[in-house]
Amino acid sequence: MQKLTSFLLLITVSILLFSGCFRSSSSGDYPIQPVPFTSVKLTDNFWAPRIKKNADITIPIAFSYCESTGRVKNFEIAGGLDTGKFQTIYPFDDSDVFKIIEGAAYSLQTFPDPELDAYLDTLIYKIGLAQEDDGYLYTNRTIAEMHGGAGLHEWASKNRWELDSILSHELYNLGHLYEAAVAHFQATGKRTLLDIALKSADLVNKDFGWDRVKVYPGHQVIEMGLVKLYRVTGEKKYLDLARFFLDVRGPKGEAYNQANKKVIDQTEAVGHSVRATYMYSGMADIAAIEKDKAYLNAITRIWEDIVYGKIYITGGIGATGGNEGFADPFVLPNMSAYCETCASIGDIFTNHRLFLLHGETKYIDILEKTLYNSMLSGVSISADRFFYPNPLESNGQHERSAWFGCACCPSNIARFVPAIPGYVYAVADDELYVNLYISNNAGINIGRQKVTVSQKANFPWDGKVEILVDPETSGKFSIKMRIPGWAENEAVPGGLYRFDDQDSETYKIMLNGEPIETETENGYTEIERQWKRGDKIELDFPMPVRTVVADERIKEDVSKVALQRGPVIYCAEWPDNNTGNVLNIVLNRDAPLITEFVPSMLGGTQIIKASGFQTQKTLDGKIDKLPEEPVTLIPYALWNNRGPGQMMVWLPVTLESSHPLPAPTIAWRSKIRASKMTRAISAINDQSEPQNSNDHSVAYYHWWPDKDQWVWIEYDFDKPETISKTKVYWFDDGPDGGCRIPDEWEILYLSGNIWKPVKNRTEYTITKDSWDSMNFDPVLASAIKIKVKLNKDYSGGLYEWIVE
Ligand SMILES: [Zn+2]
């Protein structure tokens, strides 16, 4: 009762102060404060080794790529230590160096490393030299000015800042500089990078304003960076500048970078998803610090828009590659899902901030889902290979890369992974929030109490958790433990995905060995008491394998299920399933779903054993059901660690929704050769027909970036065949993409060892969005070749090539 009264009082105070939905906050910042990762030492078998590998492998190789690609040299040249032109491709390449410094600074706090510390000092020295006298820092322009303006990137304007709202990325680089500077200052106590950042921010503050340069950032992130500078210096001008960069946005810009409306009028997640999530995070910061209700309302509505219709079951966001961003609600294709690794990290930032504002578990449910699935998929188990997009289905065309020309994702992984322990706990007054269950030892100030809190858990494989509470002196405070949505029959907050069965088993909670009754509020179950040394809480979350179904408006997931256990989403991958064919599997829903831990597999993982069958098309167009066989599933995040091949998250449960093996046609039985062999070549005889020439839900093959030349593909038959007809379906992703239907095509056949053109009976037509068929005089051939003349200005590709 007393608790209820104090809760009501809290609500009343909140209403009086802010006439809205803010929790009480006396600090002028988030009402709930995260327990910094420096206070939480992970001791588990899942995350701790990954954080160590990030320090030992990811950060060093990321720095070595910055050196070998010329990113560091850009600073050396701009700083007068070297000579030459701008070394890299993009004007935002400076940002990678800043992001990896941020990651290294975090990492130093867990793994002290004098050599790394000294390397950072050297880098920061070079960055300082590259900064112009008035504080301007953008190596591309500084280097170009040394060459009389030659080499200025086409995205940058002659004058500073003018094209930032388009593509110059001047402010984007600086946002990452500010974040790195604060991290480095907090890690080492050195002001070197912070002073560079403040000098820069003072110039930005002088140049930008309602009566000065009135340009919004083309790629958001400086908003978050400035808030961090405000927190570390206490200088309000940086906070005001962050707010300016949000308020100056819209309404007449592009949806692509969220400038189509004033930020407070935005209700939908649109455009580039990394830009979007960085902006929402910056807005949450302003909402928290300035108690701004309009900001809060906007991000609340946008969060609902994402969660109710634009998020994947893996937590990934940003469905389409063309805009690297959001599509319409329920448009969530699987094979072409973009789900950029950076967008997952950005969405974690946003959801964490919303939790700190509201204290509700639904935000951590999204955070946890993203963390264990879409984010983690971005980096290999070996910690040296990275995904940019994280699709939910593959025909083998996807593979992690060691690095990218545009290297935002690896550098984001490098800085995010060491900070993961900071998401485990949070505090508000005399309340401790336990958000993630990961074995750890933590030293936390709860109210006036110094408390050692430790967890023993084997997440995400086992739902049992022990929390040991050791206050320095016995005292009263409250511990709020998150009850994950998945432990309460909720696959994802908002209902876009749901468990198709309701599990009656519920979680159990014990205090010092005795079952206790607790109250649950906002998804947290709470124990408030006089805590004393050695107190122990035990939680037991049931972790059965659950089948997930999607909202029927998601066309691609109809008559399919995904398997989830705890927060982990599973997939079927090629090495574990018969001949490597996965896409044509149908899951037998009546067969039991058995789970076991396999220590020797993928660094030790829980797998699921199910049952199903493959389907195959027949020559007369029917679908055959092949004999029943075991189906093995692994955690989605661990796919593509054993080479590229087929993978599928959403498993068909009906013949109709299955993707049958191709029928044994001539094309299917042939060996393919091509002027350009890529893994995508297998698309051309897979017998899947697109809806149109720009259908990204069906696999296709392309010659991009080649253009204005003849290219070819050849089918070598397994025995001579008499053929007289061919059909081709072209790929064309105009107007946004780089491929168009070709200018010409021609068919040749191999007779003996001579290639001869066929004598066509019908025209060689070239059509978008439908088949082009061509009949020719019958020939006996041992192979057939299609020659394609690519457009002068565009590349080309095709979905399917049929021979009859
Ligand atoms: Zn990225």
Side-chain angles (χ1 to χ4, degrees):
M1 192 61 205
Q2 198 194 347
K3 208 160 83 180
L4 186 64
T5 317
S6 62
F7 175 67
L8 285 174
L9 187 67
L10 187 72
I11 293 277
T12 316
V13 170
S14 307
I15 289 169
L16 284 175
L17 284 175
F18 316 117
S19 45
C21 19
F22 287 98
R23 287 172 49 105
S24 154
S25 160
S26 52
S27 62
D29 210 318
Y30 286 98
I32 303 172
Q33 287 290 312
V35 173
F37 71 89
T38 45
S39 305
V40 184
K41 181 166 173 42
L42 300 192
T43 55
D44 72 321
N45 292 324
F46 190 87
W47 290 111
R50 285 178 161 83
I51 293 170
K52 182 82 171 74
K53 276 189 187 170
N54 187 77
D56 292 345
I57 298 168
T58 311
I59 290 174
I61 63 163
F63 274 137
S64 81
Y65 277 109
C66 285
E67 298 275 0
S68 65
T69 55
R71 282 167 168 78
V72 173
K73 199 168 179 195
N74 283 337
F75 288 101
E76 292 168 357
I77 297 170
L81 291 172
D82 206 337
T83 54
K85 294 258 168 80
F86 186 68
Q87 301 287 306
T88 58
I89 305 168
Y90 300 108
F92 52 70
D93 290 334
D94 293 356
S95 70
D96 296 321
V97 178
F98 301 145
K99 277 156 83 181
I100 303 161
I101 291 176
E102 184 186 348
Y106 294 149
S107 193
L108 278 178
Q109 297 178 72
T110 310
F111 307 106
D113 179 347
E115 223 173 286
L116 179 61
D117 191 14
Y119 177 71
L120 295 188
D121 288 343
T122 312
L123 270 184
I124 292 165
Y125 170 70
K126 292 172 184 171
I127 293 167
L129 290 180
Q131 184 171 36
E132 296 186 19
D133 289 344
D134 64 354
Y136 187 75
L137 183 52
Y138 184 71
T139 60
N140 177 263
R141 181 185 307 281
T142 308
I143 295 171
E145 281 172 1
M146 291 171 166
H147 298 90
L152 182 68
H153 200 280
E154 58 179 348
W155 292 349
S157 51
K158 201 159 161 277
N159 298 314
R160 293 173 178 181
W161 315 124
E162 277 174 1
L163 284 183
D164 197 82
S165 63
I166 315 292
L167 276 173
S168 78
H169 290 85
E170 286 155 286
L171 297 171
Y172 171 76
N173 287 344
L174 297 181
H176 282 303
L177 167 69
Y178 302 167
E179 296 206 298
V182 172
H184 181 255
F185 171 65
Q186 288 173 338
T188 64
K190 298 177 197 172
R191 290 191 57 100
T192 44
L193 193 59
L194 184 63
D195 286 339
I196 293 169
L198 294 177
K199 190 172 170 186
S200 155
D202 288 341
L203 173 75
V204 175
N205 192 41
K206 179 166 86 57
D207 284 357
F208 284 84
W210 293 107
D211 54 352
R212 285 156 284 157
V213 180
K214 235 169 68 178
V215 164
Y216 56 83
H219 193 316
Q220 301 88 325
V221 79
I222 197 168
E223 304 81 358
M224 279 191 279
L226 284 164
V227 170
K228 287 184 180 174
L229 289 185
Y230 157 71
R231 287 203 185 104
V232 81
T233 62
E235 293 218 41
K236 191 162 174 296
K237 64 182 176 186
Y238 302 125
L239 183 68
D240 293 343
L241 188 56
R243 190 181 176 113
F244 166 78
F245 280 132
L246 290 163
D247 286 343
V248 76
R249 217 173 183 84
K252 288 188 179 145
E254 301 282 329
Y256 171 71
N257 59 12
Q258 299 81 35
N260 54 326
K261 290 181 179 173
K262 304 294 287 181
V263 296
I264 54 167
D265 295 330
Q266 299 194 19
T267 54
E268 293 171 6
V270 294
H272 188 271
S273 49
V274 183
R275 285 169 163 84
T277 51
Y278 287 2
M279 182 176 91
Y280 308 148
S281 298
M283 288 172 70
D285 287 345
I286 298 291
I289 296 168
E290 302 202 327
K291 312 291 175 251
D292 190 303
K293 210 174 155 214
Y295 269 59
L296 184 73
N297 288 342
I299 45 175
T300 303
R301 286 195 303 259
I302 293 166
W303 183 86
E304 289 173 353
D305 183 58
I306 295 174
V307 171
Y308 296 170
K310 296 180 181 172
I311 194 166
Y312 283 92
I313 187 63
T314 54
I317 55 167
T320 47
N323 62 346
E324 296 193 304
F326 294 103
D328 286 339
F330 312 111
V331 177
L332 294 161
N334 291 317
M335 191 175 284
S336 63
Y338 202 66
C339 296
E340 184 176 338
T341 302
C342 289
S344 290
I345 291 172
D347 204 37
I348 288 175
F349 292 161
T350 305
N351 277 282
H352 190 231
R353 283 164 164 79
L354 288 168
F355 154 74
L356 297 173
L357 273 168
H358 298 291
E360 293 176 49
T361 55
K362 61 184 180 183
Y363 303 112
I364 304 295
D365 282 349
I366 298 284
L367 184 156
E368 184 189 57
K369 183 58 72 52
T370 310
L371 183 69
Y372 279 100
N373 300 288
S374 198
M375 186 292 294
L376 186 57
S377 147
V379 57
S380 64
I381 294 174
S382 55
D384 60 355
R385 297 183 71 82
F386 310 92
F387 268 139
Y388 199 117
N390 293 273
L392 281 76
E393 197 169 296
S394 182
N395 195 20
Q397 73 271 48
H398 305 97
E399 191 173 14
R400 288 188 188 87
S401 297
W403 192 249
F404 303 95
C406 166
C408 54
C409 293
S411 54
N412 238 339
I413 289 278
R415 73 178 183 137
F416 176 74
V417 169
I420 288 173
Y423 295 92
V424 176
Y425 298 109
V427 289
D429 304 324
D430 56 357
E431 294 171 339
L432 171 69
Y433 287 85
V434 184
N435 278 328
L436 298 179
Y437 298 107
I438 304 174
S439 291
N440 71 80
N441 297 312
I444 305 173
N445 292 323
I446 307 169
R448 289 199 201 96
Q449 295 282 325
K450 275 205 167 96
V451 187
T452 301
V453 180
S454 50
Q455 284 188 42
K456 282 186 199 155
N458 187 23
F459 258 55
W461 313 131
D462 189 289
K464 288 191 177 62
V465 186
E466 270 182 37
I467 303 172
L468 295 162
V469 186
D470 263 332
E472 223 170 51
T473 54
S474 169
K476 193 173 180 189
F477 55 90
S478 163
I479 299 182
K480 296 177 142 192
M481 289 148 287
R482 169 173 160 261
I483 306 303
W486 49 259
E488 294 215 298
N489 285 314
E490 188 183 67
V492 172
L496 187 60
Y497 307 97
R498 60 182 170 77
F499 295 137
D500 73 333
D501 53 335
Q502 291 298 299
D503 192 72
S504 55
E505 199 187 347
T506 182
Y507 68 92
K508 295 182 191 73
I509 180 163
M510 302 215 284
L511 178 65
N512 296 328
E514 299 291 327
I516 51 159
E517 292 280 314
T518 51
E519 279 178 51
T520 300
E521 189 189 322
N522 290 332
Y524 289 90
T525 196
E526 180 171 7
I527 305 179
E528 186 184 18
R529 70 194 296 265
Q530 193 79 22
W531 294 93
K532 55 182 192 325
R533 288 189 77 97
D535 278 341
K536 180 163 90 173
I537 305 165
E538 286 163 275
L539 288 155
D540 188 356
F541 300 108
M543 271 197 188
V545 179
R546 308 294 297 267
T547 48
V548 182
V549 292
D551 186 302
E552 60 198 17
R553 287 169 287 186
I554 305 176
K555 200 177 77 208
E556 293 234 7
D557 301 341
V558 170
S559 300
K560 296 178 184 177
V561 299
L563 298 185
Q564 175 174 346
R565 182 172 181 273
V568 177
I569 296 296
Y570 280 75
C571 70
E573 199 194 10
W574 66 275
D576 311 311
N577 292 288
N578 60 64
T579 52
N581 291 318
V582 163
L583 296 182
N584 57 310
I585 288 173
V586 173
L587 186 76
N588 177 358
R589 282 187 99 170
D590 299 325
L593 300 168
I594 295 158
T595 178
E596 64 173 279
F597 187 80
V598 185
S600 59
M601 205 171 154
L602 296 163
T605 186
Q606 196 84 21
I607 63 164
I608 296 172
K609 287 185 164 169
S611 186
F613 53 87
Q614 299 192 57
T615 58
Q616 179 163 29
K617 274 187 199 156
T618 60
L619 286 171
D620 56 0
K622 297 202 183 74
I623 300 176
D624 254 0
K625 186 173 156 180
L626 303 183
E628 184 116 351
E629 59 192 39
V631 177
T632 302
L633 297 106
I634 61 159
Y636 164 74
L638 303 184
W639 85 282
N640 203 264
N641 278 291
R642 297 169 293 180
Q646 294 193 350
M647 181 278 292
M648 180 164 65
V649 169
W650 286 99
L651 306 167
V653 292
T654 62
L655 279 184
E656 295 69 37
S657 61
S658 79
H659 187 284
L661 273 175
T665 58
I666 297 174
W668 173 247
R669 287 184 283 113
S670 294
K671 194 166 165 274
I672 307 175
R673 300 199 303 147
S675 55
K676 180 175 188 165
M677 284 298 277
T678 64
R679 272 191 297 277
I681 196 79
S682 61
I684 68 160
N685 64 349
D686 68 356
Q687 296 167 25
S688 49
E689 182 173 336
Q691 300 282 322
N692 54 57
S693 285
N694 194 10
D695 181 350
H696 289 263
S697 67
V698 174
Y700 54 88
Y701 166 82
H702 64 74
W703 288 282
W704 192 84
D706 300 339
K707 57 187 177 186
D708 195 22
Q709 58 180 274
W710 283 94
V711 290
W712 57 267
I713 306 173
E714 191 179 309
Y715 284 146
D716 292 344
F717 303 154
D718 56 351
K719 60 179 190 341
E721 298 274 0
T722 301
I723 50 173
S724 61
K725 187 178 179 186
T726 189
K727 279 169 77 178
V728 60
Y729 204 117
W730 305 109
F731 172 70
D732 182 326
D733 60 357
D736 298 326
C739 292
R740 300 290 184 276
I741 54 173
D743 287 353
E744 280 180 63
W745 61 291
E746 190 189 353
I747 296 289
L748 306 162
Y749 71 100
L750 190 62
S751 168
N753 51 9
I754 301 169
W755 285 102
K756 298 176 182 169
V758 298
K759 227 177 251 167
N760 54 314
R761 291 182 173 177
T762 58
E763 290 292 305
Y764 278 103
T765 54
I766 305 170
T767 322
K768 200 174 153 181
D769 301 330
S770 72
W771 291 98
D772 283 315
S773 297
M774 195 271 288
N775 296 328
F776 48 89
D777 289 353
V779 290
L780 182 68
S782 55
I784 184 168
K785 181 185 282 190
I786 182 168
K787 285 177 69 182
V788 178
K789 172 79 190 330
L790 299 174
N791 182 282
K792 191 164 77 59
D793 299 316
Y794 293 99
S795 191
L798 49 85
Y799 285 95
E800 199 71 25
W801 177 35
I802 293 172
V803 184
E804 288 169 359

